[in-house]
Amino acid sequence: ETLQRIVSTLANKNDEIHNFIDMLNHTIKNVQVNSSNAISELDEEFDGLYSILDEMKGSMANTIQQEEARKIQALQ
C-alpha cells in the first residue's frame, strides 16, 4: 500500500513536471514571437528614421551648394 502511494505520488509529480515543461515551451514560443515582432517594428522604425535623415542630408547639402554658388558668384 505504501509503495502504491509512492508510485502514485511519483506519477502525479511526473504529470506536473510534464505540464510545467509544456507551459515553459509555450512561454518560450511566445517570447520568440514577441521578440521577432519587436525586432521587425524596430527595423521599420529605424528604416523610417534613416529615410528622413537621408532626405534632410540631401536638402542640407543642396542648401550648402546653393549658398556656395551664390557666394562664389558674388565674389566674382
Side-chain angles (χ1 to χ4, degrees), residues 28-75:
I28 288 169
K29 287 177 185 175
N30 285 339
V31 167
Q32 289 171 330
V33 167
N34 291 341
S35 296
S36 180
N37 289 342
I39 289 171
S40 293
E41 290 174 12
L42 185 64
D43 283 343
E44 289 177 23
E45 186 71 23
F46 272 92
D47 287 346
L49 290 171
Y50 179 79
S51 178
I52 291 168
L53 286 173
D54 196 44
E55 287 176 22
M56 289 178 67
K57 174 187 169 187
S59 175
M60 293 173 85
N62 188 36
T63 300
I64 291 168
Q65 289 171 345
Q66 288 176 355
E67 184 68 15
E68 176 189 26
R70 185 188 66 74
K71 287 181 179 180
I72 288 173
Q73 186 176 13
L75 290 171

